[in-house]
């Protein structure tokens, strides 16, 4: 069920320029998920890049961690109205992932898939040019299971439900197909600066 979420205090003048409309700053890192937290072991973890049902490339945990690493520090914004500033991530950028796969993007749309069956749609343009990564570390440490470890998608400029936890693949699709929350009333795109929380926003 879609929820309008939490409410917080007014932002300070220093924070206001970094807060999208309707958001409040938190020092915590709240844990919100669509269902129970899966426990994914790295010895059974794999990540697959697909075009429709057809696999294009796949990596196990050791192979994936052998790919070039990127670090990002970004603000993140949850649809439930909290924002956290200066979060620090490390992982494999989507640009480097596509390069490692040796493929040109066949379409302009993707679905991210997770080990728990979750999915969310993200346009290709919002993943490339150093905008997004498959993150494997947060704040200098491996990502914990409750925050989506061992690996999660990170798309920090969109609402955080787009940053799929426990990610195990990206699938190119011929159209912008809605994922789990998008089918349940959340916005198809999810831009915090335009308050695109729900369908019709």
């Amino acid at each position: 069920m879609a929820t309008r979420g939490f409410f917080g205090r007014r932002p300070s003048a220093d924070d206001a320029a970094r807060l999208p409309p309707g958001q409040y700053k938190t020092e915590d890192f709240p844990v919100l998920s669509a269902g129970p937290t899966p426990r994914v072991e790295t010895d059974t973890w794999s990540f697959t890049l697909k075009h429709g049902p057809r696999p294009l490339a796949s990596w196990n945990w050791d192979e994936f961690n052998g790919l070039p690493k990127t670090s990002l520090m970004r603000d993140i914004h949850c649809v439930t109205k909290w924002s956290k500033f200066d979060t620090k991530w490390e992982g494999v950028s989507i640009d480097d992932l596509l390069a490692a796969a040796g493929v040109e993007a066949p379409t302009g749309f993707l679905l991210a898939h997770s080990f728990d069956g979750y999915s969310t749609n993200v346009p290709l343009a919002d993943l490339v040019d150093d905008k997004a990564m498959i993150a494997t570390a947060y704040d200098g440490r491996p990502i914990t299971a409750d925050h989506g470890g061992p690996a999660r998608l990170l798309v920090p400029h969109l609402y955080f439900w787009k940053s799929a936890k426990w990610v195990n693949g990206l699938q190119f699709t011929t159209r912008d197909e809605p994922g789990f929350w998008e089918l349940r009333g959340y916005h198809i795109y999810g831009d915090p600066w335009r308050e695109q929380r729900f369908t019709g926003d």
Side-chain angles (χ1 to χ4, degrees), residues 16 21-22 46 48 54-55 104 106 144 193:
S46 65
T48 302
R54 181 170 64 90
E104 294 287 337
T144 59
W193 294 96

Side-chain angles (χ1 to χ4, degrees), residues 31-52:
V31 175
L32 299 169
S33 302
T37 297
R39 303 293 169 176
V40 182
E41 301 299 329
T42 55
D43 59 355
T44 59
W45 184 92
S46 65
F47 185 92
T48 302
L49 185 67
K50 298 192 295 184
H51 180 196

Side-chain angles (χ1 to χ4, degrees), residues 124-178:
L124 176 67
D126 290 280
L127 297 177
V128 296
D129 299 327
D130 298 317
K131 296 188 186 80
M133 67 164 54
I134 304 300
T136 55
Y138 170 72
D139 204 20
R141 299 180 179 178
I143 300 174
T144 59
D146 57 344
H147 285 300
R152 71 176 298 158
L153 179 62
L154 176 70
V155 193
H157 63 283
L158 299 180
Y159 279 126
F160 213 46
W161 90 80
K162 295 291 186 177
S163 295
K165 295 181 176 183
W166 314 296
V167 70
N168 68 355
L170 289 174
Q171 177 188 20
F172 286 100
T173 57
T174 56
R175 62 184 182 87
D176 200 9
E177 296 185 16

Side-chain angles (χ1 to χ4, degrees), residues 75-151:
D75 299 344
I76 55 175
H77 311 288
C78 184
V79 71
T80 57
K81 301 191 176 181
W82 59 262
S83 292
K84 186 171 177 63
F85 292 170
D86 298 324
T87 62
K88 299 175 183 177
W89 305 87
E90 183 181 86
V92 179
S93 73
I94 304 304
D95 301 279
D96 286 334
L97 191 72
L98 293 175
V103 299
E104 294 287 337
T107 76
F109 305 102
L110 296 100
L111 275 171
H113 293 280
S114 300
F115 279 91
D116 64 342
Y118 180 84
S119 63
T120 190
N121 63 305
V122 187
L124 176 67
D126 290 280
L127 297 177
V128 296
D129 299 327
D130 298 317
K131 296 188 186 80
M133 67 164 54
I134 304 300
T136 55
Y138 170 72
D139 204 20
R141 299 180 179 178
I143 300 174
T144 59
D146 57 344
H147 285 300

Side-chain angles (χ1 to χ4, degrees), residues 1-5 79-80 181 183-187 197-199:
M1 176 182 293
T3 175
R4 287 282 167 178
V79 71
T80 57
W181 283 121
L183 289 168
R184 291 162 173 81
Y186 278 38
H187 199 277
R197 291 183 169 89
F198 302 96
T199 301

